Structure formats: C-alpha cells, structure tokens
Amino acid sequence: MSDALVIANDLTKRFGDFTAVDAIDFEVKQGEAFGFLGPNGAGKSSTMRMIGSVSPITSGSLSVLGLNPATQGPQLRARLGVVPQEDSLDVELTVAENLMIYGRYFGLSRAVIRPRIEELLDFVQLNGKRDEKVDKLSGGMKRRLTIARSLINQPELLILDEPTTGLDPQARHVLWDRLYRLKQDGVTLIVTTHYMDEAEQLCDRLVVMDQARIVAEGTPSDLIVQHSTREVLEMRFPPGTQDENVAQLSGLAERIEILPDRVLLYTPNADATSSEAHARGIRPVAQVSRRSSLEDVFLKLTGRSLVE
Amino acid sequence: MNSTLRMYERSARVYRGVWRGSVFSSFVNPLLYLVAMGIFLGNLVDKQTGGIAGVSYLEFLAPGLLAATAMQAGAGDSSWPVLAGIKWQRYYLAALATPLSTRDLVMGHLAWVATRVALVSAIFVLVATALGAMTLTGGLLAIIPAVLTGLAFAGFVTWFAAKLEDGIGLTNLFRFGIMPLFLFSGTFFEISRLPDWMEPVAYLTPLWHGVELARSLALGVDPTFSRATHAGLLVAYIAVGTVLAVRQFEKRLVI
C-alpha cells in the first residue's frame, strides 16, 4: 500500500492533435510540497486540472486521495482546495461573501462557514477588508483571498497553479509564508510555477516539465547536484564582442552556456575560474558569481530559459 | 436538488447588491410602454376600430407586453451574466472546482431566472392593474405563462451564450432576434395582420405561444390553439433549451 496521495501512471492529456501532457508518471506523498516547474505551455496547468478532477484524462491512470477523478469527481473535489492560475473571484460580492458562497458550494452550513471566514481572513491577513468589494482589492490581496477561499472546506490536498504569477516581490513573500504555515499544519501542497526561486523556496520535491513531459525529478538540491555544478560565473561582454570572447573561454569550465546577452560558465569554484579568465586577458563588462539554481538545471535539461 | 440551490444562492446574493435599480426599471419600463402605447396610441386605435378582439387596445396590449417583458428578462439574465461566468469573471469555473457539476450550474441559473422573471412579471401586473389594463386575477394568472416564456428563452440563450467568445454575438442576438420577436409576435397586434408567409414563423417562436396564453388567461378568452397546447409547447422549449445548455456547458467547461 503506497502512502501517496496522488499517483499518476502514463498520464496523458490530448486536445485534438495537440498533446498537452505526454505519458507522465509521478507520485505526491502525504504532507509534502510537490512542485511542477516548467515554462508556460509545458503542460503544468493541464496536469493540475486533471488532478483537480475538472478535466478528464485522455489515457493512463490517475488516482487522487485514493479516488478515481473520472467516476468520483464530486466526492474528490469536496476534499480538494484549488487556487487557479487566473482569479475567479466574484467581484460584485464582498470578501466575506465570496468565502460564504464558496463554502455553500461545498454544501457546508452557514453556521459552519461563519467562524471559518474569520479564521481564514486572519490567516491571509485580510480581516480589515472583510466587507470590501473584491473589485477594490489589489492583485496580491485577491490572490490571498483566493487562497483563503480554497481552504474553506479544510482540504487535505491544496493545488496551486502559479500562485504568485504577476505579484510584486513583497506580495509573493507574504504568500510563501502562508503556504509554509499550511504545510506545517499537514496540508499537502501541489504547486506549479515557472519561477525557480519559488520552487526552491516551497517545494520538498519537484518535477521539471518541458514540452508535455517530465524531464527530471528530485529535491531541489538533488537536481542541482545531479544536473549542474556548484557555482556559476556569468559574464557579459560589450555588444558584438561575445563571440570572440567565447572562443577564448574553452577549457575554463565544465560546461559553457551561451545566451543571447551573456555567457554562463559552470564550475565548482567561480572565483578561481574568474581569475583564470582574467589571466587569459578576458575582460567582461560585468560579471556575477553565484550558486547554481534550478534555472541552470532547466537550461541544461532543455537548452532553454524558464522565463523568456 | 440541494446542489442546484447553491448557484441560485450565489445569484440571489449578487442580486442583493443591485435590487434597487433592477426593481425600479421593472416599474418604469411597463409604465412607459403601457402609457405611451396602451393609453395614448390605444385611444387612437380604439377610436378608429372600436377596440381589438373585443377589448380596448390597452387590455389587448397588456398581457402581450407582459409575455414580451418576461422574454426580455429571461434572455437578458442568460446572456452577459452567463458569458461573464465562463469567460470574464469565471465564476462557473470556480464553482466547478467544488463538488458542483455543470448540470447544477445550469439548473441553479435557470431556477434563479425563473424567480427574476416572476418578480419582473409581478411588478408589471401591479403597474398594469393600477392603470386599469388588467384585472388583478387575470394578471396574476398571466404570470404563469410569463415565467414559462422567460424560461423558454433563458434555456436557449444560455446555450447560445455558452458558445461565444465575446459579447458581439449577444448584441446581435438582441438586435436581430429578440427585438424583432418583441415587435412581431402578437404583442402589439394580432399575427393574422402579418403577411401570410410570416404567420407560420410566428407559430415557431416561443414568444407567440406565451403571448397567446397570457392573453387568454388575462382576458378569459380562448387562445388560437388550446391552452394546454400553448403551455405544452412552452414546456417543450424549456426542456430542449435546458438540455442544450447543459451539454454546451459540459463541452465548454469540462475539457
């Protein structure tokens, strides 16, 4: 008996001739924060919608909370929380009314919902906005309200599809903090993102998706160790001179990635590599040495950047 | 049943925020039409013809206008609000992440439309009674076909709106569909006045059956077909529209 909350085998989603999700396998365990990292169009949202049992699977198998989404959709959705990619709040209603109405969709009584509204508004720090129309909230507040809404039925599994896309850094940190607390309370999280820092911050384990397939799987640090070096040296050269400089770089690093605007040197020790380059007479206009990140993993695996 | 009421509850809550404006226009619209067309134009008609179908023009007009008003309310509430739920505000998508099904959404929506049409019709009857255009009993009876008419349009318009990507289709629906029906379905004059080839077209429209039934109940006269036939056809329109709407919701939203 597996303790996995979500088990997918050969999971496939096709829209006509287009394959959005191509025979992927994964398991999400009880209590973990599991991430789907990938660029737009990689198939993350389609996967989320299948897990959320709002989109039928084309082939393969999928079990969520031990239930079959195809035949037990309503029972399954009763135990899930969903934060969709695009806001779907009732803008004509107030903050508290949004929570009340959503709780009623789950068939909860008003007496049960009322105290939960106060708790959740506390939790997402929107108590001051209780009777405000949703129209008037900022983007960050709307996202927080959407998260509060997704928790009204006290879900065992929370699915967040790009929860912080479009938010400013401060609003993102507030959200991450709330999601952390949920995880500590034992809620299992599934998060999609195309921000590598978000994946590193939030996820215990993640899969990297590209073009409908899973291309790597592991903890953020495992993925970095497996697919990248410890450090990265980034160099920028004056416009038009990148090619001639790149020619002189060979042998300096384990791997060199050439991007349109800069060159990445993958090396165990960025400072040592920088000195060697300097000794060869290479003079970048700017350079940064940093730790490898999931962005580098993604670049290595797919040859492309996550965020274009 | 319980899950159907959830969407109904949402609509009722949204309506709580706008009911004043809505009720106000539900008073003003019939008042303007009944005074301008029923009384002033009606005087002219009555002087020339001595009334229409044995009653004054005002009495002839009121039940027809009631059914036409119900059509507009049913179609209006099922147009932009439905497309908003699918595309703009996405409240249907939010609801589908809960235990609710597309059938719950459509049934809850139509149940709410029935309430709205009943409310609009009741206000109409109050105004018409005050102007002497209807008897209270006749008017109250005529609310039943009015609600059926509103629902017959609500189902089809919900289906149509759920196929659209933007509001242009809806603007055209009202301009080229609802407006001509309003004018030519026996509301303002008997359809026997229409050119022969147009008469069967009127038979096909739900509004004409609603007008016939409302007029028959308000004035206590026999309709063109039997009351049961007109009512049965309206119910059939409602059933077909509802089935189409649920199927379209499923096709559009569960992908």
Side-chain angles (χ1 to χ4, degrees):
Chain A
M1 192 58 197
S2 160
D3 65 341
L5 283 193
V6 183
I7 305 168
N9 286 309
D10 269 336
L11 182 62
T12 299
K13 180 73 193 184
R14 273 191 285 274
F15 298 101
D17 291 338
F18 174 69
T19 304
V21 178
D22 191 2
I24 63 172
D25 300 300
F26 62 89
E27 288 196 358
V28 181
K29 297 192 184 71
Q30 171 89 49
E32 75 176 340
F34 188 86
F36 285 83
L37 178 68
N40 292 330
K44 304 185 305 282
S45 292
S46 296
T47 307
M48 291 308 105
R49 288 169 45 76
M50 288 191 281
I51 297 171
S53 114
V54 289
S55 166
I57 73 172
T58 306
S59 63
S61 73
L62 177 66
S63 149
V64 183
L65 303 174
L67 300 174
N68 179 353
T71 55
Q72 296 167 297
Q75 296 103 294
L76 172 53
R77 292 195 296 272
R79 294 163 61 189
L80 296 181
V82 176
V83 176
Q85 194 176 124
E86 292 175 281
D87 282 322
S88 57
L89 295 163
D90 256 310
V91 293
E92 294 156 88
L93 298 178
T94 67
V95 167
E97 281 179 319
N98 263 274
L99 297 176
M100 174 57 80
I101 281 297
Y102 212 68
R104 299 288 291 155
Y105 289 169
F106 285 93
L108 302 169
S109 75
R110 288 184 188 80
V112 168
I113 299 168
R114 254 180 236 117
R116 284 191 195 174
I117 290 177
E118 306 312 321
E119 278 166 38
L120 288 170
L121 289 181
D122 253 356
F123 178 68
V124 297
Q125 295 166 307
L126 283 175
N127 352 39
K129 304 283 175 187
R130 203 184 174 288
D131 298 313
E132 197 91 62
K133 282 255 167 69
V134 167
D135 250 347
K136 303 207 171 99
L137 302 185
S138 70
M141 288 177 184
K142 281 185 186 157
R143 288 317 270 170
R144 263 142 63 199
L145 177 56
T146 303
I147 289 182
R149 189 180 73 171
S150 73
L151 297 170
I152 196 80
N153 59 327
Q154 303 185 325
E156 295 155 63
L157 174 64
L158 185 60
I159 301 169
L160 303 114
D161 196 359
E162 309 218 351
T164 67
T165 296
L167 296 188
D168 61 52
Q170 199 197 345
R172 295 176 71 201
H173 280 281
V174 174
L175 263 180
W176 288 348
D177 175 63
R178 301 296 111 174
L179 295 177
Y180 250 162
R181 292 201 195 185
L182 284 175
K183 207 181 102 185
Q184 278 168 346
D185 292 343
V187 179
T188 306
L189 305 177
I190 301 181
V191 186
T192 76
T193 181
H194 58 245
Y195 297 119
M196 52 168 182
D197 53 342
E198 184 157 279
E200 281 178 355
Q201 286 267 345
L202 282 178
C203 300
D204 301 315
R205 228 153 48 81
L206 57 93
V207 291
V208 179
M209 275 191 93
D210 185 45
Q211 294 177 334
R213 307 204 64 123
I214 289 176
V215 291
E217 179 180 348
T219 65
S221 53
D222 281 352
L223 286 169
I224 292 168
V225 170
Q226 272 173 41
H227 298 286
S228 192
T229 54
R230 214 173 82 85
E231 297 190 344
V232 187
L233 181 64
E234 294 196 7
M235 288 182 169
R236 280 176 203 274
F237 297 103
T241 67
Q242 182 163 293
D243 290 349
E244 52 194 83
N245 279 295
V246 166
Q248 299 182 55
L249 289 172
S250 69
L252 276 183
E254 284 181 26
R255 196 163 63 82
I256 297 178
E257 284 284 352
I258 300 156
L259 303 183
D261 60 335
R262 68 209 141 106
V263 180
L264 308 181
L265 293 95
Y266 289 91
T267 163
N269 183 333
D271 286 345
T273 306
S274 167
S275 308
E276 270 181 68
H278 204 82
R280 287 191 189 182
I282 297 164
R283 299 282 181 275
V285 286
Q287 74 172 36
V288 184
S289 53
R290 58 168 177 85
R291 307 279 297 236
S292 269
S293 70
L294 287 173
E295 174 87 44
D296 302 299
V297 172
F298 189 81
L299 194 60
K300 162 98 181 291
L301 291 170
T302 69
R304 287 177 294 111
S305 299
L306 264 173
V307 185
E308 269 90 39
Chain B
M1 189 61 209
N2 189 44
S3 48
T4 291
L5 288 178
R6 302 285 84 93
M7 250 305 134
Y8 183 93
E9 195 176 326
R10 176 200 167 270
S11 304
R13 213 172 254 270
V14 171
Y15 190 69
R16 263 197 347 204
V18 297
W19 72 272
R20 279 184 197 85
S22 160
V23 165
F24 180 72
S25 55
S26 301
F27 264 107
V28 171
N29 275 333
L31 188 65
L32 291 177
Y33 267 104
L34 287 172
V35 170
M37 314 283 287
I39 296 176
F40 289 104
L41 183 66
N43 269 337
L44 221 67
V45 173
D46 292 342
K47 267 184 204 144
Q48 294 284 321
T49 63
I52 185 166
V55 294
S56 74
Y57 185 68
L58 180 64
E59 290 166 296
F60 172 83
L61 175 68
L65 199 55
L66 169 63
T69 303
M71 165 187 78
Q72 285 178 316
D77 276 15
S78 303
S79 56
W80 277 275
V82 166
L83 192 49
I86 291 172
K87 255 203 97 92
W88 300 319
Q89 297 182 29
R90 290 183 287 273
Y91 39 78
Y92 290 140
L93 293 171
L96 285 175
T98 75
L100 301 186
S101 67
T102 48
R103 190 178 159 279
D104 294 326
L105 303 191
V106 172
M107 300 303 277
H109 163 67
L110 293 177
W112 171 252
V113 170
T115 307
R116 272 266 302 143
V117 173
L119 182 68
V120 169
S121 304
I123 295 172
F124 183 103
V125 168
L126 280 182
V127 173
T129 313
L131 293 174
M134 282 175 146
T135 64
L136 189 59
T137 331
L140 291 177
L141 280 174
I143 290 178
I144 299 162
V147 171
L148 293 180
T149 307
L151 281 176
F153 281 92
F156 282 106
V157 175
T158 301
W159 165 66
F160 179 75
K163 287 160 125 13
L164 298 175
E165 292 299 329
D166 58 49
I168 298 167
L170 293 176
T171 309
N172 287 334
L173 171 73
F174 281 88
R175 193 175 292 157
F176 301 115
I178 301 297
M179 196 61 189
L181 285 179
F182 179 70
L183 294 171
F184 294 101
S185 295
T187 315
F188 296 100
F189 52 88
E190 293 166 299
I191 61 163
S192 55
R193 302 267 163 195
L194 290 170
D196 285 349
W197 64 269
M198 272 179 83
E199 245 179 277
V201 178
Y203 288 169
L204 291 175
T205 68
L207 180 56
W208 179 70
H209 296 285
V211 169
E212 278 294 304
L213 199 52
R215 193 165 281 146
S216 138
L217 289 169
L219 302 176
V221 298
D222 285 335
T224 305
F225 304 143
S226 74
R227 283 176 182 166
T229 308
H230 289 298
L233 282 168
L234 284 173
V235 170
Y237 277 117
I238 295 171
V240 173
T242 305
V243 169
L244 287 174
V246 172
R247 277 172 45 178
Q248 183 57 31
F249 263 52
E250 190 75 12
K251 200 170 140 194
R252 177 82 180 260
L253 299 173
V254 183
I255 53 164

